[in-house]
Amino acid sequence: MLLFRWLWRLVKLVVWLAVIAILVPVLGLAYGFITTGPVDTAPLPGIADGAPPKALADKVRAEIPGYRRPPESTFLTYPEWAIVYAARDYAGYVKENQPSGFPYWSYVGRFWQDYAMMIRASAAYSFNFQNHQMLAVIGTSHTIEHGVQWAYENTIGRVTELAAGKRTAVDAYQARVAADYAAFLDQVPWYEFPYAEKRAGLLAVQPAPDDGSVRPGERKLAFGLADTVKQGYADLIKSALAATADPAFLDIHVWAKGPVAEATRNEPDTALEHDFGTDGTVFVTKRYQAFTEMIPRLIGKGVSFVEIGGNDEIMITVLSADPVAAPEGARQLFAYPLPADPDRRRTGLIVAVRRLHTVLPALAGAGAKLEHVYDY
């Protein structure tokens, strides 16, 4: 009888988890679609200008494995980065403030709004099941994690915060961990983060003489437990990916013109693949934030782009204090103030790859800072 009761409880737990796994993305996307409007999906004017010779383009696609990336992924990559930006904003906030004041639910809503907009933006392309499956999973995790942290920080966290009356040594340590995590996500998946190592560092923090014992003890217990759960979940994800998924493409192939060989000479993890003379050069380099930071350097050295990931349009985001107009060769997809810092705005644009060398300097001249190029 005891065994039957335990089995029944296990079945109910599995059912509830399944219900949550279904309801969170359904309700999240419903909120996202209701609270955002349509995006302009018409082809960019002049996007085909300067296209490479078709025979040469076909040859490149045939001879370089992984050269062409799915075009819809430039849009569907963005919601992943929205979670990275939430981590960055959290790190910036807790550097000076207590975590109880962070707008957790605004970032939950922002993820689902971003995802809904990107579904609209990519509607003309093939349905990428793998991308959507991944976004539903990470969006659900993001929602649950932020919801739990909001509830905890605004109950028990508020009590120990008032008891301490100030930021303690443990608060400062957790702020540094948040900054480390945000920087880590620029180039490496979250499940590779050393949660167990950070937990050990947390438990080793020595309180300042006037920190008291309540806040340090509560922070160590709560975040130590959270790090334990996250490390276990990360290990589970790594095992599942190793068993069932193809490794992520960590490189991107770029077709460019100008002094490509000289401009890329000192760029790390970058190699020339084919030199086509006046038709340009194909090189391979690392994806993610490293690639974003490389692009303005190459433009500054006289490089222009023909294709990135085998495509002729790509999405970017910029940050600015004031609204920015889309330069020729680009179109705005969205713009909104950051939830934790309303004085800054994020603007998303779709850009013709062969106009990147003029679009990015124009945006910089208007006071916008390049945040990311979404390299499929």
Side-chain angles (χ1 to χ4, degrees), residues 6 22 72 114 118 175 345 368:
W6 276 106
I22 294 170
E72 69 277 2
D114 289 337
M118 294 305 99
R345 298 171 56 84

Side-chain angles (χ1 to χ4, degrees), residues 212-224:
S213 59
V214 175
R215 179 71 169 179
E218 176 267 326
R219 294 283 96 175
K220 289 184 178 184
L221 179 62
F223 282 93

Side-chain angles (χ1 to χ4, degrees), residues 150-310:
W150 169 83
Y152 184 85
E153 292 291 8
N154 284 278
T155 52
I156 296 173
R158 286 274 189 185
V159 171
T160 62
E161 182 183 309
L162 291 171
K166 69 180 189 70
R167 284 167 57 86
T168 66
V170 174
D171 289 310
Y173 175 82
Q174 284 302 110
R176 292 194 297 273
V177 170
D180 291 344
Y181 181 64
F184 183 89
L185 292 179
D186 278 347
Q187 207 66 29
V188 187
W190 70 270
Y191 48 79
E192 298 286 354
F193 191 70
Y195 295 102
E197 177 187 313
K198 299 301 181 182
R199 178 188 60 208
L202 169 66
L203 298 179
V205 172
Q206 294 298 314
D210 57 347
D211 280 352
S213 59
V214 175
R215 179 71 169 179
E218 176 267 326
R219 294 283 96 175
K220 289 184 178 184
L221 179 62
F223 282 93
L225 177 60
D227 284 339
T228 300
V229 172
K230 289 178 182 178
Q231 186 66 70
Y233 186 35
D235 291 342
L236 184 65
I237 293 292
K238 283 188 283 188
S239 298
L241 289 174
T244 63
D246 294 328
F249 284 98
L250 300 179
D251 297 333
I252 188 78
H253 300 275
V254 182
W255 192 340
K257 288 185 176 182
V260 179
E262 181 61 31
T264 61
R265 188 183 307 279
N266 295 317
E267 293 291 347
D269 303 310
T270 301
L272 300 183
E273 292 183 293
H274 294 281
D275 186 345
F276 301 121
T278 56
D279 286 319
T281 301
V282 176
F283 66 91
V284 62
T285 191
K286 291 297 180 188
R287 294 178 60 210
Y288 307 128
Q289 194 64 24
F291 180 54
T292 290
E293 294 170 2
M294 177 193 293
I295 289 177
R297 292 196 296 268
L298 298 186
I299 291 173
K301 295 176 182 178
V303 170
S304 61
F305 300 91
V306 179
E307 292 182 343
I308 295 175

Side-chain angles (χ1 to χ4, degrees), residues 81-117:
W81 281 91
I83 292 179
V84 177
Y85 303 148
R88 283 185 194 170
D89 291 353
Y90 176 80
Y93 185 87
V94 298
K95 184 177 180 180
E96 303 291 341
N97 305 283
Q98 294 288 28
S100 57
F102 186 73
Y104 297 98
W105 286 112
S106 294
Y107 280 92
V108 169
R110 188 69 260 168
F111 172 86
W112 296 110
Q113 289 174 317
D114 289 337
Y115 186 12
M117 287 191 295

Side-chain angles (χ1 to χ4, degrees), residues 37-60:
V39 298
D40 189 346
T41 58
L44 282 169
I47 193 170
D49 294 349
K54 184 178 185 305
L56 182 57
D58 291 343
K59 175 182 170 66
V60 169

